[in-house]
């Protein structure tokens, strides 16, 4: 990241700290911040996505007025578009969308932090996970830098299968970005009448 980009980021972050989060000025500064992050990442392909990404973030800025339970359908629709705009593969679109909805509505990222998570999702490539079993009987899964929204549902399925086979439904995940987003597994499990938690350890999540 070049010195001019760093200086511009510092300036826009300073502006954001002085503005009300619900003001139009904050939304403008937020858009500029993410534009600078994309441009400063050194990836020309990602930077070229800015126009469509800007539209997605503008949709996101309107989510704050849709927090009532009666608006859940609208929230799911907007987040589906955001996830799609972030480049998520069609086969993972609905799983990532559901994780995003849970992140926004449960005490995980929350609405205010969704822009940062959408940006992290856009920068996260889908890669094959590597599985291994430790001597302690725990299943280790290296997800190679993927965002938790892409893999949370599959990891929950693995944990359920491990519980059926061994009586121990524990999976240790390594190589994730935005590790706190594994908190969505609690909501995903609840949809199936199950209970799950995610906690950070020295070795991963």
């Amino acid at each position: 990241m070049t010195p001019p980009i760093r200086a511009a980021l510092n300036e826009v972050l300073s502006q954001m700290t002085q503005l009300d989060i619900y003001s139009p000025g904050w939304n403008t500064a937020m858009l500029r911040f993410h534009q600078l992050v994309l441009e400063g990442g050194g990836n020309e392909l990602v930077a070229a996505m800015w126009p469509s990404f800007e539209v997605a973030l503008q949709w996101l800025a309107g989510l704050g007025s849709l927090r009532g339970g009666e608006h859940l359908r609208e929230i799911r629709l907007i987040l589906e578009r955001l996830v799609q705009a972030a480049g998520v593969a069609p086969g993972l679109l609905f799983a990532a969308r559901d994780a995003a909805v849970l992140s926004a509505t449960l005490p995980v990222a929350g609405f205010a932090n969704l822009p940062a998570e959408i940006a992290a999702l856009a920068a996260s490539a889908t890669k094959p996970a590597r599985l291994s079993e430790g001597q302690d009987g725990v299943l280790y899964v290296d997800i190679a830098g993927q965002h938790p929204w892409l893999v949370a549902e599959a990891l929950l399925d693995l944990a359920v299968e491990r519980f059926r086979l061994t009586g121990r439904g524990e999976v240790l995940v390594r190589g994730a970005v935005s590790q706190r987003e594994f908190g969505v597994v609690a909501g995903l499990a609840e949809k199936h009448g199950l209970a799950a938690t995610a906690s950070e350890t020295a070795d991963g999540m």
Side-chain angles (χ1 to χ4, degrees):
M1 187 172 289
T2 64
I5 291 288
R6 289 196 188 97
L9 279 171
N10 288 334
E11 181 180 354
V12 75
L13 283 172
S14 176
Q15 292 173 0
M16 291 172 72
T17 60
Q18 299 173 41
L19 294 167
D20 185 276
I21 191 172
Y22 297 110
S23 69
W26 192 92
N27 288 333
T28 300
M30 179 266 292
L31 290 171
R32 177 61 177 156
F33 170 80
H34 287 289
Q35 181 181 13
L36 289 167
V37 169
L38 290 178
E39 291 176 352
N43 188 321
E44 294 182 1
L45 179 60
V46 173
M49 293 172 57
W50 170 249
S52 59
F53 201 62
E54 180 180 21
V55 173
L57 287 170
Q58 287 171 339
W59 286 336
L60 184 57
L63 281 176
S65 62
L66 297 176
R67 297 189 186 188
E70 68 275 12
H71 296 302
L72 182 58
R73 181 178 178 276
E74 286 84 353
I75 291 173
R76 291 176 76 247
L77 180 60
I78 292 173
L79 285 174
E80 182 177 324
R81 290 172 177 168
L82 286 168
V83 168
Q84 189 173 31
V88 171
L92 294 172
L93 181 60
F94 295 148
R97 175 207 62 194
D98 290 347
V101 171
L102 289 167
S103 179
T105 55
L106 293 178
V108 185
F111 284 94
N113 293 314
L114 275 177
E117 294 307 329
I118 294 293
L121 180 67
S124 171
T126 303
K127 300 177 182 177
R130 295 188 293 273
L131 280 68
S132 60
E133 186 169 349
Q135 294 182 348
D136 53 3
V138 174
L139 181 65
Y140 291 81
V141 184
D142 185 342
I143 62 173
Q146 295 183 83
H147 193 282
W149 294 356
L150 297 173
V151 297
E153 190 167 299
L155 290 172
L156 178 63
D157 289 342
L158 274 176
V160 170
E161 185 63 21
R162 293 287 294 178
F163 181 76
R164 289 172 177 165
L165 292 174
T166 68
R168 186 177 182 182
E170 184 178 350
V171 176
L172 182 64
V173 185
R174 294 168 170 165
V177 297
S178 298
Q179 286 195 150
R180 70 176 180 186
E181 291 302 305
F182 280 117
V184 302
V185 298
L188 292 172
E190 189 175 336
K191 290 196 310 180
H192 302 291
L194 304 171
T197 60
S199 57
E200 191 169 354
T201 71
D203 293 325
M205 285 292 290

